[in-house]
Amino acid sequence: ALEKCGWEVLRPCAGISMVAKPSFLNKAVKLSNSFKDTGEGQKNGTYEVKLDDSTIREAIVKTTGLCINGGSWTGIPGYCRFTIALEDSEFEQALDCLVKFKSIVGN
């Protein structure tokens, strides 16, 4: 599922998580945030971020609700950590979030 959504997966040998790198790093995505100051005295609206190690986690959470660990957490540049030890319904929901994010970044 990760590979179909544009992620390069490092095959795990065991454990409860997987590590993968998105093919869409360096692409820009629009996020909305009611707390970000837009610079014009407004605290609502959208802003654009370039996807990298420091922004990928925030972008996925804000656009899909899926929480992952970004590259700074894994210590492997560009690679994120996905926990796969979930209840079946949560796992299916996470897969839906991956598909949603793929459609957002257009990859």
Side-chain angles (χ1 to χ4, degrees):
L2 281 168
E3 288 172 344
K4 287 180 182 177
C5 291
W7 293 79
E8 176 187 321
V9 178
L10 295 181
R11 299 283 179 217
C13 294
I16 60 168
S17 63
M18 295 183 75
V19 178
K21 179 180 183 177
S23 61
F24 37 81
L25 287 179
N26 298 316
K27 281 194 169 188
V29 66
K30 288 188 179 184
L31 304 176
S32 66
N33 187 344
S34 59
F35 302 109
K36 182 166 180 71
D37 188 342
T38 61
E40 299 173 353
Q42 300 174 346
K43 298 215 183 240
N44 294 319
T46 61
Y47 61 103
E48 192 171 274
V49 296
K50 182 177 176 183
L51 297 175
D52 61 24
D53 277 355
S54 64
T55 60
I56 188 77
R57 181 185 179 282
E58 174 188 16
I60 292 174
V61 168
K62 287 186 180 264
T63 57
T64 69
L66 180 64
C67 186
I68 65 169
N69 295 111
S72 62
W73 189 92
T74 65
I76 308 170
Y79 284 83
C80 300
R81 176 182 174 257
F82 295 84
T83 300
I84 56 175
L86 303 169
E87 292 182 13
D88 288 346
S89 63
E90 291 175 321
F91 187 79
E92 291 299 323
Q93 186 178 11
L95 293 177
D96 291 342
C97 290
L98 290 171
V99 171
K100 180 180 179 181
F101 193 71
K102 178 185 177 191
S103 71
I104 290 168
V105 295
N107 190 2

